[in-house]
Amino acid sequence: MINTRITELFGIEKPIIQGGLMWIARAELTAAVANAGGMGFMTALTFADPEGLREEIRKCRQMTDKPFGVNLTFLPTLTPPDYEGYIRVCIEEGVGFLETAGRNPEPYMEQIKSAGIKVLHKCTSVRHAQKAQKIGCDAIGIDGFEAAGHPGEDDVTSLILVPRTRDALDLPLVASGGFADGRGLAAALVMGADAVNMGTRFVATKEAPVHDNIKQAMVDHTELDTRLIMRTLRNTERVLHNTIADKVLEIEAKEGETKIEDIVPYVSGKVGKEMLDQGSLERGTLAAGQCMGLINDIPSVQELLDRIMADAEAAIRERYSLL
Ligand code: NAD
């Protein structure tokens, strides 16, 4: 047993979090993580409207009686989402925890906090973490450069970012970016984090609702097989290296300002969803982290979480026995 301020905050057994995963963090995966003793956040924007999220929250409740939360990401989108509507549904459905990400959640904090919802805000720099503490967030997730999806624009790895954030603020802290196994969890705890957040590792699990080709791709690729796209738009995204990522980079390398319209056919969420459903690895872009180098199998979520806990405990014991 490893008890931390994060296990206490969420009322969970294991300091392991499945954060937002666009299209993937739906009831099946989130409930599996909750049932295995971790904390799962289902991704609100996966559902076309707030009522779709409501349905999925209810579905998840039927699959688990353990705590789970909802991820709400505020990044540029092709169609503006009804953020207030998603939050209203969370309040009406009695969701206790939100993971916010992408941008400062301040405009929505009054709505969220007046309902007593606890907020874990995921950010990519120490200054943003300090701001999140100031506006009343209950916990901070700090996302290192290794991470899949949007790791920010500062390019600082978890090895620096986690202890720097720990030194800069008092809130419970979740380390994210590069974590996939028990050694990573042990290291994160030693660096001052209270839990780890994993994304890519959860894609390669039995319960992840994606095509088997996508799961196998997480096993077959390594830490060398990601690329950073949309840097020219200051909305950098770490994705699996494929011909589409190369195509986007080629467009971005052209002289003159890149516009989102130039790359929409390659990066849109609609295409990404088809890719996940059909298992077509060259159809679009797929968020993937450097931790692919640490993924060698496709276990159930329960097997994965049990193994991570056993390996983390062993790693900590072995280090102490050296003293
Ligand atoms: P989408 O189809 O609206 O956009 C596709 C990609 O282009 C996204 O990465 C988006 O951030 C980017 N984009 C859109 N308009 C842009 C602009 N004007 N300038 C710069 N970049 C722009 O996205 P989607 O796949 O439907 O996802 C919805 C939102 O959720 C996006 O903001 C996406 O980045 C974000 N997201 C969330 C998670 C999560 O885990 N919650 C993970 C990945 C992405």
Side-chain angles (χ1 to χ4, degrees):
M1 284 286 280
I2 298 177
N3 292 321
T4 70
R5 290 197 290 163
I6 284 290
T7 59
E8 275 168 32
L9 178 69
F10 295 137
I12 54 174
E13 288 162 31
K14 302 182 173 90
I16 302 173
I17 293 174
Q18 165 258 303
L21 282 165
M22 194 63 188
W23 309 120
I24 303 173
R26 306 202 299 263
E28 294 83 354
L29 181 60
T30 298
V33 174
N35 285 331
M39 181 66 183
F41 286 95
M42 69 173 57
T43 306
L45 299 189
T46 290
F47 309 100
D49 53 42
E51 288 310 309
L53 174 63
R54 188 193 302 282
E55 222 171 275
E56 198 74 3
I57 292 169
R58 291 183 178 176
K59 183 173 168 191
C60 196
R61 284 253 163 76
Q62 296 195 332
M63 299 170 86
T64 184
D65 54 7
K66 301 268 177 63
F68 65 88
V70 170
N71 164 285
L72 200 50
T73 296
F74 309 104
L75 280 168
T77 53
L78 298 175
T79 323
D82 175 10
Y83 291 117
E84 282 176 12
Y86 287 107
I87 296 169
R88 194 172 52 247
V89 161
C90 290
I91 294 170
E92 287 168 2
E93 294 300 314
V95 169
F97 307 101
L98 272 186
E99 179 191 58
T100 55
R103 192 160 35 89
N104 181 348
E106 193 166 15
Y108 306 98
M109 281 301 274
E110 204 182 307
Q111 187 190 7
I112 296 169
K113 296 307 285 184
S114 64
I117 295 177
K118 303 273 189 225
V119 179
L120 164 65
H121 181 62
K122 186 163 74 171
C123 45
T124 58
S125 75
V126 176
R127 63 189 184 283
H128 293 156
Q130 285 170 316
K131 176 75 183 173
Q133 173 166 267
K134 208 163 155 193
I135 64 168
C137 292
D138 301 278
I140 299 295
I142 196 79
D143 217 358
F145 186 50
E146 302 92 330
H150 298 270
E153 310 302 325
D154 292 344
D155 303 357
V156 181
T157 66
S158 292
L159 202 55
I160 306 298
L161 212 41
V162 175
R164 271 280 288 124
T165 311
R166 177 71 296 155
D167 289 346
L169 47 85
D170 310 321
L171 290 180
L173 181 63
V174 178
S176 170
F179 298 100
D181 62 20
R183 294 165 299 182
L185 172 57
L189 295 172
V190 171
M191 286 193 288
D194 300 287
V196 289
N197 176 8
M198 306 191 304
T200 304
R201 176 63 268 201
F202 279 117
V203 177
T205 58
K206 292 208 169 85
E207 291 90 341
V210 298
H211 194 283
D212 283 349
N213 290 356
I214 303 291
K215 302 182 190 196
Q216 193 58 40
M218 301 296 109
V219 175
D220 294 342
H221 291 83
T222 77
E223 67 279 11
L224 302 177
D225 298 323
T226 72
R227 291 294 180 272
L228 295 169
I229 61 167
M230 294 198 285
R231 179 129 270 190
T232 55
L233 297 168
R234 289 194 62 77
N235 186 25
T236 299
E237 184 174 15
R238 186 182 293 284
V239 296
L240 187 76
H241 184 198
N242 62 8
T243 55
I244 306 298
D246 283 341
K247 179 80 193 159
V248 173
L249 289 173
E250 204 180 290
I251 295 169
E252 289 190 85
K254 282 189 190 145
E255 238 176 79
E257 197 187 331
T258 312
K259 296 193 189 61
I260 184 67
E261 295 77 33
D262 302 333
I263 57 170
V264 162
Y266 309 106
V267 303
S268 86
K270 191 174 157 286
V271 169
K273 168 101 173 63
E274 284 170 20
M275 192 176 177
L276 292 170
D277 289 345
Q278 297 163 8
S280 37
L281 291 175
E282 300 295 336
R283 174 82 182 85
T285 54
L286 172 67
Q290 292 181 333
C291 76
M292 284 191 297
L294 302 173
I295 297 176
N296 302 309
D297 61 358
I298 304 170
S300 71
V301 168
Q302 182 76 56
E303 285 162 351
L304 177 66
L305 264 54
D306 288 347
R307 185 205 303 166
I308 290 176
M309 292 309 294
D311 289 352
E313 284 166 12
I316 292 167
R317 259 198 314 276
E318 279 163 28
R319 301 310 296 176
Y320 281 137
S321 71
L322 289 177
L323 296 176

